[in-house]
Amino acid sequence: QSSLVQTMFPKIKSPKRMCLKLLFWLRPELDWTLRLFLVWATLILISSNALLGCILLQLIANFLFWMCLSDLIRSRGYFLTYSSPRKARWYLLLVSYLILWKPGFYFATFSYFKPSNELKKILDELQFEEKTTFGEWDRRPMQALFFGNSDAELLGDALMVHFDRYERNETVAFGYVKTLNLIGNIFDDQGIESVIQALDHPYSYTDSLLIGRNNHIGDKTAVHLANLIKTRKNHKEKSEVYPDVAGQELTWLEIGGTSVTKNGLSELYHSMGFRPFSHLGLEYTRGRNPFLFSPLVSFGTSTIPRSLEFLHDARYLQELTLTGNSLDDDDISFLAEEVVQTNITKLTLFNNKISPSGVEHLVPLVTQLTELALGMNRKIGDKGAIVLAEALKNPNATLQTLFLSNCNIGQQGAEALLSVFPGNTHLKFLVFSNKEKIDKETMEALEKATRANWS
């Protein structure tokens, strides 16, 4: 190939000749990339679907990456040490992967894409219908539909129209608006902004907002939500003409699985020191890796441990969920010190890195909490169960529900927990998993003891 290029371009100086040689080497890969891109673009134009565009672009990137990896394996890495067509090809494929993988998300934010049929139905209902066809208790018509920014903006505009109509008593409250579930979509801070603006309407009755697993949501959204929480109570309206029409405060927020950092979380905690707030969900909250993209998963380390120093500001928060944030014993120690300065009564710590030492740090909370969830912390074991049992013998213990499923608790730990009865009259639910090595008689005795506290 090199001699062919020299024959074709004998008078070109070395730098230009090298560029032409590179293009000559890469011609097959460029052809492949162009073909894939044309297929992707054609399908996008036909479907006008944001989700399909996002997925297809990622598939192209994956295809290029695996081509690159297969070349690397076949050549055993030798081509990395000298100049060759294979080396140039490897670099092209790697660069293509990095270029195409990340922007896949942004193609889903273009206003060109038409709303899906599901979204069209929701938009029409919000703007024109008096009643919803989804049913009073259907809270998930907008979950995991891969709404992009343009979809979220349309939804925000429709919600504003709906709240205007609700103020005039032209429509009833919809269940899926009261609990606005937008989990598992692909919009970012720009897209969700219009929804938050709609929730600031004086007659917004949305009291629960679930926007978790939108991993491109970050601190900007957290700050907007914090401002909404702080100011919402000041301009909540109740109609003097229609007794059943009234705005509601936002009291439930699920924002786990996003890319909110310490700065955004500190603002949220601070806002929950202004008025009572029922629930804050921060499951699997990790920082976003700048080189990877996934519509549902954030790649990175948990940002929760670095934000715990501000938790005491959320003094009116009642429930906190911190599932899957890699909290170790030191983090739990710091968390316990912060929780005692708040009104938190329900704490969920599933799937972290808690050991018996971490359980010891949680002992002071048994006189404050009514529910503690420690499931899927397999390091707790019998030693951790014994520590909990001793804590539950405290006459001032208020714990009513304790989740210990998949905590590797055996017979010894179960017997220790059984020993707290009948002295403890508050614990009503003690949850184990079927995988725990506890004999049938002990399990039946624990069930009988907890049931005795129901009356």
Side-chain angles (χ1 to χ4, degrees):
Q1 292 178 350
S2 177
S3 60
L4 179 59
V5 172
Q6 292 176 1
T7 303
M8 293 173 61
F9 310 101
K11 296 182 180 181
I12 299 180
K13 296 181 180 181
S14 180
K16 294 184 179 180
R17 183 179 300 173
M18 289 302 299
C19 293
L20 291 171
K21 285 172 66 177
L22 182 63
L23 290 174
F24 191 85
W25 284 340
L26 300 180
R27 187 177 60 183
E29 282 65 52
L30 291 173
D31 289 345
W32 262 109
T33 306
L34 180 60
R35 291 169 189 169
L36 288 170
F37 182 82
L38 289 175
V39 170
W40 169 79
T42 302
L43 291 174
I44 293 302
L45 291 173
I46 294 174
S47 65
S48 301
N49 186 279
L51 171 59
L52 181 59
C54 181
I55 292 176
L56 285 175
L57 199 57
Q58 291 180 61
L59 288 176
I60 294 174
N62 281 335
F63 175 80
L64 295 172
F65 174 76
W66 288 113
M67 284 180 63
C68 165
L69 186 61
S70 64
D71 274 354
L72 176 63
I73 295 173
R74 286 200 302 269
S75 64
R76 300 179 183 178
Y78 294 148
F79 66 86
L80 295 176
T81 60
Y82 58 89
S83 179
S84 70
R86 277 188 176 275
K87 184 173 182 179
R89 176 180 184 177
W90 191 87
Y91 281 130
L92 173 71
L93 293 175
L94 181 59
V95 170
S96 299
Y97 169 75
L98 293 177
I99 291 175
L100 292 179
W101 181 252
K102 176 71 174 177
F105 162 76
Y106 295 104
F107 281 93
T109 67
F110 290 169
S111 59
Y112 162 77
F113 296 118
K114 302 174 183 177
S116 63
N117 292 331
E118 294 87 349
L119 180 58
K120 287 180 181 178
K121 179 179 178 181
I122 292 169
L123 296 177
D124 289 342
E125 275 198 352
L126 292 174
Q127 298 177 89
F128 305 112
E129 300 297 331
E130 296 181 6
K131 296 182 179 180
T132 175
T133 59
F134 287 100
E136 182 179 357
W137 300 107
D138 192 338
R139 300 289 193 267
R140 300 187 299 173
M142 292 179 285
Q143 177 176 327
L145 291 182
F146 291 85
F147 289 169
N149 279 358
S150 57
D151 298 323
E153 291 168 2
L154 290 173
L155 177 61
D157 295 340
L159 285 171
M160 191 69 76
V161 173
H162 175 73
F163 294 140
D164 286 338
R165 296 177 62 236
Y166 177 71
E167 177 184 357
R168 300 191 296 268
N169 201 31
E170 296 175 1
T171 182
V172 298
F174 293 177
Y176 65 86
V177 175
K178 185 175 179 62
T179 300
L180 193 58
N181 186 345
L182 298 172
I183 289 176
N185 289 288
I186 54 176
F187 44 74
D188 61 7
D189 292 325
Q190 179 183 350
I192 194 63
E193 183 177 359
S194 61
V195 175
I196 297 175
Q197 289 176 353
L199 299 186
D200 200 33
H201 192 286
Y203 284 88
S204 164
Y205 57 86
T206 299
D207 57 16
S208 302
L209 177 62
L210 293 78
I211 53 174
R213 285 180 286 180
N214 290 281
N215 75 316
H216 280 263
I217 285 179
D219 289 341
K220 184 177 180 181
T221 295
V223 171
H224 287 170
L225 287 170
N227 292 333
L228 176 67
I229 293 168
K230 285 187 288 189
T231 62
R232 185 72 182 91
K233 187 176 181 180
N234 297 332
H235 65 276
K236 183 182 68 173
E237 299 287 348
K238 184 174 182 179
S239 175
E240 297 179 359
V241 181
Y242 309 107
D244 296 332
V245 175
Q248 300 292 326
E249 299 174 0
L250 184 68
T251 60
W252 182 291
L253 177 62
E254 163 58 52
I255 196 171
T258 62
S259 296
V260 179
T261 68
K262 179 180 73 172
N263 296 330
L265 291 172
S266 65
E267 292 293 329
L268 281 175
Y269 295 152
H270 181 67
S271 69
M272 294 169 192
F274 283 79
R275 62 174 176 84
F277 202 85
S278 300
H279 176 89
L280 176 61
L282 296 171
E283 301 92 340
Y284 300 96
T285 304
R286 302 177 182 274
R288 186 166 63 228
N289 189 303
F291 296 107
L292 296 175
F293 164 74
S294 171
L296 296 180
V297 181
S298 295
F299 296 93
T301 57
S302 175
T303 60
I304 297 301
R306 296 189 292 274
S307 73
L308 293 178
E309 61 182 296
F310 304 103
L311 182 58
H312 62 271
D313 289 337
R315 58 184 181 272
Y316 295 128
L317 179 62
Q318 298 167 8
E319 301 177 15
L320 177 62
T321 299
L322 297 175
T323 296
N325 284 294
S326 303
L327 300 177
D328 58 22
D329 293 339
D330 292 335
D331 298 326
I332 295 300
S333 173
F334 199 79
L335 172 65
E337 294 174 359
E338 296 288 303
V339 169
V340 296
Q341 303 178 60
T342 69
N343 288 331
I344 293 174
T345 58
K346 294 183 179 181
L347 182 61
T348 302
L349 296 169
F350 278 112
N351 194 21
N352 283 288
K353 299 178 179 179
I354 304 174
S355 72
S357 298
V359 175
E360 291 179 1
H361 297 312
L362 293 172
V363 166
L365 299 183
V366 299
T367 58
Q368 174 181 340
L369 300 178
T370 60
E371 182 177 307
L372 177 61
L374 297 174
M376 299 176 69
N377 288 282
R378 297 193 62 80
K379 294 181 180 180
I380 289 179
D382 286 335
K383 291 183 180 180
I386 293 172
V387 172
L388 283 170
E390 291 301 316
L392 290 171
K393 292 178 182 179
N394 186 334
N396 296 321
T398 57
L399 207 60
Q400 298 179 11
T401 303
L402 178 60
F403 289 90
L404 293 172
S405 55
N406 294 309
C407 287
N408 202 26
I409 295 175
Q411 185 65 27
Q412 184 181 4
E415 290 177 356
L417 289 168
L418 183 59
S419 68
V420 308
F421 303 101
N424 186 304
T425 59
H426 290 92
L427 191 60
K428 300 178 181 180
F429 299 94
L430 184 57
V431 182
F432 293 98
S433 67
N434 296 330
K435 298 179 181 179
E436 311 295 349
K437 299 178 180 179
I438 304 172
D439 63 41
K440 184 177 179 181
E441 292 76 13
T442 304
M443 291 294 290
E444 290 177 351
L446 283 169
E447 183 178 357
K448 182 178 179 181
T450 52
R451 280 188 177 181
N453 289 338
W454 291 3
S455 57

